[in-house]
Short mmCIF file of all heavy atoms in Angstrom, two decimals:
data_model
loop_
_atom_site.label_atom_id
_atom_site.label_comp_id
_atom_site.label_asym_id
_atom_site.label_seq_id
_atom_site.Cartn_x
_atom_site.Cartn_y
_atom_site.Cartn_z
N TYR A 251 21.15 7.12 -29.42
CA TYR A 251 21.11 8.48 -28.90
C TYR A 251 19.75 8.71 -28.26
O TYR A 251 18.72 8.17 -28.71
CB TYR A 251 21.34 9.49 -30.03
CG TYR A 251 21.21 10.93 -29.63
CD1 TYR A 251 22.20 11.56 -28.88
CD2 TYR A 251 20.09 11.68 -30.00
CE1 TYR A 251 22.10 12.90 -28.52
CE2 TYR A 251 19.97 13.02 -29.64
CZ TYR A 251 20.97 13.62 -28.90
OH TYR A 251 20.86 14.94 -28.55
N GLU A 252 19.73 9.52 -27.17
CA GLU A 252 18.45 9.75 -26.47
C GLU A 252 18.39 11.17 -25.94
O GLU A 252 19.41 11.76 -25.56
CB GLU A 252 18.30 8.76 -25.31
CG GLU A 252 16.90 8.71 -24.72
CD GLU A 252 16.63 7.44 -23.93
OE1 GLU A 252 17.57 6.64 -23.72
OE2 GLU A 252 15.47 7.25 -23.52
N GLU A 253 17.19 11.72 -25.93
CA GLU A 253 16.92 13.01 -25.32
C GLU A 253 15.69 12.87 -24.44
O GLU A 253 14.68 12.29 -24.84
CB GLU A 253 16.65 14.09 -26.38
CG GLU A 253 17.84 14.41 -27.25
CD GLU A 253 17.54 15.51 -28.25
OE1 GLU A 253 16.39 16.03 -28.26
OE2 GLU A 253 18.45 15.87 -29.04
N THR A 254 15.76 13.39 -23.21
CA THR A 254 14.61 13.36 -22.32
C THR A 254 14.38 14.74 -21.71
O THR A 254 15.32 15.51 -21.52
CB THR A 254 14.81 12.35 -21.16
OG1 THR A 254 15.86 12.79 -20.30
CG2 THR A 254 15.13 10.96 -21.70
N GLN A 255 13.13 15.02 -21.42
CA GLN A 255 12.74 16.21 -20.67
C GLN A 255 11.79 15.79 -19.56
O GLN A 255 10.91 14.95 -19.78
CB GLN A 255 12.05 17.23 -21.56
CG GLN A 255 12.94 17.87 -22.60
CD GLN A 255 12.21 18.89 -23.45
OE1 GLN A 255 10.99 19.07 -23.32
NE2 GLN A 255 12.93 19.58 -24.32
N ASN A 256 12.00 16.36 -18.38
CA ASN A 256 11.13 16.05 -17.25
C ASN A 256 10.80 17.36 -16.53
O ASN A 256 11.70 18.15 -16.24
CB ASN A 256 11.83 15.08 -16.28
CG ASN A 256 10.92 14.62 -15.17
OD1 ASN A 256 10.67 15.33 -14.20
ND2 ASN A 256 10.40 13.40 -15.30
N SER A 257 9.52 17.58 -16.26
CA SER A 257 9.12 18.82 -15.58
C SER A 257 8.03 18.55 -14.57
O SER A 257 7.25 17.58 -14.69
CB SER A 257 8.67 19.87 -16.59
OG SER A 257 7.61 19.37 -17.39
N LEU A 258 7.97 19.42 -13.57
CA LEU A 258 6.97 19.32 -12.49
C LEU A 258 6.53 20.72 -12.11
O LEU A 258 7.35 21.63 -11.98
CB LEU A 258 7.56 18.61 -11.28
CG LEU A 258 6.71 18.63 -9.99
CD1 LEU A 258 5.47 17.77 -10.16
CD2 LEU A 258 7.54 18.15 -8.79
N LEU A 259 5.23 20.88 -11.92
CA LEU A 259 4.67 22.11 -11.37
C LEU A 259 3.66 21.71 -10.30
O LEU A 259 2.72 20.96 -10.59
CB LEU A 259 4.00 22.95 -12.46
CG LEU A 259 3.35 24.26 -11.99
CD1 LEU A 259 4.40 25.21 -11.42
CD2 LEU A 259 2.60 24.93 -13.15
N ALA A 260 3.85 22.19 -9.08
CA ALA A 260 2.97 21.79 -7.99
C ALA A 260 2.69 22.97 -7.07
O ALA A 260 3.56 23.82 -6.85
CB ALA A 260 3.60 20.65 -7.18
N PHE A 261 1.47 23.01 -6.52
CA PHE A 261 1.06 24.02 -5.55
C PHE A 261 0.52 23.31 -4.32
O PHE A 261 -0.34 22.42 -4.43
CB PHE A 261 0.00 24.95 -6.13
CG PHE A 261 0.49 25.80 -7.27
CD1 PHE A 261 0.37 25.35 -8.58
CD2 PHE A 261 1.08 27.03 -7.03
CE1 PHE A 261 0.84 26.12 -9.64
CE2 PHE A 261 1.54 27.81 -8.08
CZ PHE A 261 1.42 27.36 -9.39
N THR A 262 1.01 23.71 -3.14
CA THR A 262 0.63 23.05 -1.90
C THR A 262 0.34 24.11 -0.84
O THR A 262 1.02 25.14 -0.77
CB THR A 262 1.77 22.14 -1.40
OG1 THR A 262 2.13 21.22 -2.42
CG2 THR A 262 1.33 21.36 -0.16
N THR A 263 -0.65 23.85 0.00
CA THR A 263 -0.89 24.69 1.17
C THR A 263 -1.24 23.78 2.34
O THR A 263 -1.37 22.56 2.19
CB THR A 263 -2.00 25.72 0.91
OG1 THR A 263 -2.04 26.66 1.99
CG2 THR A 263 -3.37 25.05 0.78
N GLN A 264 -1.38 24.37 3.51
CA GLN A 264 -1.66 23.57 4.70
C GLN A 264 -2.58 24.33 5.65
O GLN A 264 -2.40 25.52 5.88
CB GLN A 264 -0.35 23.23 5.41
CG GLN A 264 -0.51 22.26 6.58
CD GLN A 264 0.82 21.91 7.22
OE1 GLN A 264 1.13 22.32 8.34
NE2 GLN A 264 1.62 21.13 6.50
N PHE A 265 -3.57 23.59 6.16
CA PHE A 265 -4.47 24.12 7.20
C PHE A 265 -4.20 23.31 8.47
O PHE A 265 -4.21 22.08 8.44
CB PHE A 265 -5.93 23.97 6.77
CG PHE A 265 -6.25 24.64 5.46
CD1 PHE A 265 -6.19 23.93 4.27
CD2 PHE A 265 -6.59 25.99 5.41
CE1 PHE A 265 -6.47 24.54 3.06
CE2 PHE A 265 -6.88 26.61 4.20
CZ PHE A 265 -6.81 25.89 3.02
N LYS A 266 -3.99 24.02 9.59
CA LYS A 266 -3.56 23.31 10.78
C LYS A 266 -4.20 23.90 12.02
O LYS A 266 -4.25 25.12 12.19
CB LYS A 266 -2.04 23.37 10.89
CG LYS A 266 -1.43 22.45 11.93
CD LYS A 266 0.09 22.45 11.82
CE LYS A 266 0.71 21.46 12.80
NZ LYS A 266 2.20 21.43 12.68
N SER A 267 -4.69 23.00 12.88
CA SER A 267 -5.18 23.39 14.20
C SER A 267 -4.44 22.52 15.22
O SER A 267 -3.52 21.79 14.88
CB SER A 267 -6.69 23.19 14.30
OG SER A 267 -7.02 21.81 14.22
N SER A 268 -4.87 22.58 16.45
CA SER A 268 -4.18 21.81 17.50
C SER A 268 -4.31 20.30 17.29
O SER A 268 -3.46 19.53 17.70
CB SER A 268 -4.72 22.18 18.88
OG SER A 268 -6.12 21.91 18.95
N LYS A 269 -5.39 19.86 16.62
CA LYS A 269 -5.63 18.43 16.44
C LYS A 269 -5.61 17.99 14.98
O LYS A 269 -5.33 16.83 14.70
CB LYS A 269 -6.97 18.04 17.07
CG LYS A 269 -7.01 18.17 18.58
CD LYS A 269 -8.34 17.66 19.12
CE LYS A 269 -8.37 17.72 20.65
NZ LYS A 269 -9.64 17.20 21.21
N LEU A 270 -5.92 18.90 14.07
CA LEU A 270 -6.12 18.52 12.67
C LEU A 270 -5.11 19.22 11.76
O LEU A 270 -4.88 20.42 11.89
CB LEU A 270 -7.54 18.87 12.22
CG LEU A 270 -7.91 18.55 10.77
CD1 LEU A 270 -7.90 17.04 10.52
CD2 LEU A 270 -9.28 19.14 10.43
N LYS A 271 -4.52 18.47 10.87
CA LYS A 271 -3.65 19.03 9.83
C LYS A 271 -4.14 18.52 8.48
O LYS A 271 -4.28 17.30 8.28
CB LYS A 271 -2.19 18.61 10.05
CG LYS A 271 -1.23 19.22 9.02
CD LYS A 271 0.19 18.75 9.23
CE LYS A 271 0.37 17.34 8.74
NZ LYS A 271 1.80 16.91 8.75
#
Side-chain angles (χ1 to χ4, degrees):
Y251 175 75
E252 193 160 7
E253 295 182 0
T254 67
Q255 292 181 356
N256 186 282
S257 56
L258 171 69
L259 179 63
F261 294 91
T262 305
T263 190
Q264 186 178 109
F265 303 93
K266 192 172 183 179
S267 66
S268 60
K269 294 184 177 181
L270 179 66
K271 182 182 76 171

